[in-house]
Amino acid sequence: MLNKETSYLELKKKVVSEYAHASPGHWGEFVNGVDEEILTQRKYIAFTFDGCGGKNGNGFDKELIDFLHNEKVPATLFVSGKWIDANFTSFLNLSRDTLFEIENHGLNHKVCSIDGESAYGIQGTKDVEEAFDEIEANALKIKAITGYNPCYYRSATTFIDEACARMAGELGITVVSFEVLSGDAVPFTSASVIEENVLRNTKPGAIIIMHFNHPEWNTYEAMHKIVPELRHLGYVFVRLNAFKLISAPRKRGAVAQNGKGRG
Ligand SMILES: [Zn+2]
C-alpha cells in the first residue's frame, strides 16, 4: 500500500500536526481556495466528468467516452480510488488516451472536511488525517498507475471546507469546483434539460461538471447536441491542465483592479 510508505507517513504526520488546531472555516462548493473557471478571455471551455465510485457510482458510460473519442473532444476526468478499483482496465485505457486528462476525485469519494461535515447524504472525512488520505493517497494511486501526477482535486459533491482546500494547496494540488452545473446527476433529468443548463450558462473560461459513471443518465444524449452547438458558437474544448484557474471572487477583483481581466 502506497499510503503505508515512510515518506507518505512522514508528510501526513507533518500536515496533521500543522492542522491539529485549525478551524474548518467556511463549508461549501465555492469557499476560499477553490477555483471554478479557466483564466482566459478566449472561448475556451473545459468539460469535466466525474467517476465517483462506490455502490451506486461504479458504472462506466462507454457510449459517452466513445463519443468524446470519436468527436475528438478533450476532457478532464475526475476519478475516485473506488472507481479506479472497480474499472481498472477501462481506467488504464482512459489514462493512455491523450485526449483525456486524469485528475483526483478522492480516495473513497468522501466530501472533504476536517470535522465530519456531510453533503447530499455523503459522509465527509472525519478529521485531518482522513482528509489528508482522501486527497493525497488518491493522487499517489493515480500517479503510481499512470505515471501522471494529478494537479487537481475535486471533492465528492464538490463540498469542501477551507482548511482542506488550504491543505490541498500546500500539497501542490488545486481544488476545482465548477462554473456550469449540467444537472446530469439530478434523478430523471432529461437530455434537453442538461442541454439547456449547459448551453444557457456556458461562457469563455467555463468549467462544466458532468459524470461518466452512470450510463443510464442522459449525459451522452445531451452531449450529442451540446458539442456541435458549442462548436458552432466558436467554443474550443480544452483540458484543465493546460491552463491557470481562478475563482469568481478573485476574477472580479482582478477585473476591478485592471479595468479588464487578464489572459
Ligand atoms: Zn463524485
Side-chain angles (χ1 to χ4, degrees), residues 50-52 105 109 155-157 211:
D50 294 353
C52 301
H105 197 33
H109 197 254
S155 172
T157 78
H211 292 78

Side-chain angles (χ1 to χ4, degrees), residues 50-53 78 80 105 109 122 154-158 209-211 213:
D50 294 353
C52 301
F78 284 89
S80 79
H105 197 33
H109 197 254
I122 296 186
R154 176 182 278 154
S155 172
T157 78
T158 72
I209 185 171
M210 304 176 117
H211 292 78
N213 61 324

Side-chain angles (χ1 to χ4, degrees), residues 15 28 33 85-86 106 112 121 129 162-163 216 250:
V15 171
D85 291 342
C112 201
E129 235 169 285
E162 288 174 338
E216 75 282 13
R250 278 194 290 126

Side-chain angles (χ1 to χ4, degrees), residues 60-68 215 220-221:
F60 176 48
D61 194 342
K62 191 172 179 307
E63 229 176 356
L64 169 66
I65 293 294
D66 287 348
F67 171 75
L68 297 175
Y220 158 70
E221 289 75 5

Side-chain angles (χ1 to χ4, degrees), residues 114-179:
I114 59 166
D115 61 354
E117 278 277 8
S118 58
Y120 298 107
I122 296 186
Q123 183 56 50
T125 49
K126 64 181 187 299
D127 52 23
V128 177
E129 235 169 285
E130 205 183 346
F132 177 89
D133 286 337
E134 181 69 10
I135 300 170
E136 185 67 6
N138 200 45
L140 273 192
K141 182 180 179 115
I142 290 170
K143 186 173 182 199
I145 299 169
T146 67
Y148 171 74
N149 198 9
C151 46
Y152 295 113
Y153 166 69
R154 176 182 278 154
S155 172
T157 78
T158 72
F159 271 72
I160 189 166
D161 67 34
E162 288 174 338
C164 290
R166 197 165 70 243
M167 183 202 299
E170 286 175 11
L171 295 167
I173 294 168
T174 301
V175 181
V176 178
S177 186
F178 59 87
E179 192 185 24

Side-chain angles (χ1 to χ4, degrees), residues 47-50 178-186 189-199 201-202 207-212 217-219 222-223 226:
F47 289 115
T48 66
F49 297 89
D50 294 353
F178 59 87
E179 192 185 24
V180 175
L181 186 61
S182 71
D184 65 346
V186 176
T189 304
S190 66
S192 61
V193 168
I194 299 171
E195 286 158 26
E196 206 184 315
N197 288 341
V198 173
L199 296 175
N201 297 304
T202 293
I207 295 175
I208 301 159
I209 185 171
M210 304 176 117
H211 292 78
F212 77 104
W217 290 352
N218 289 312
T219 319
M223 282 298 279
I226 290 168

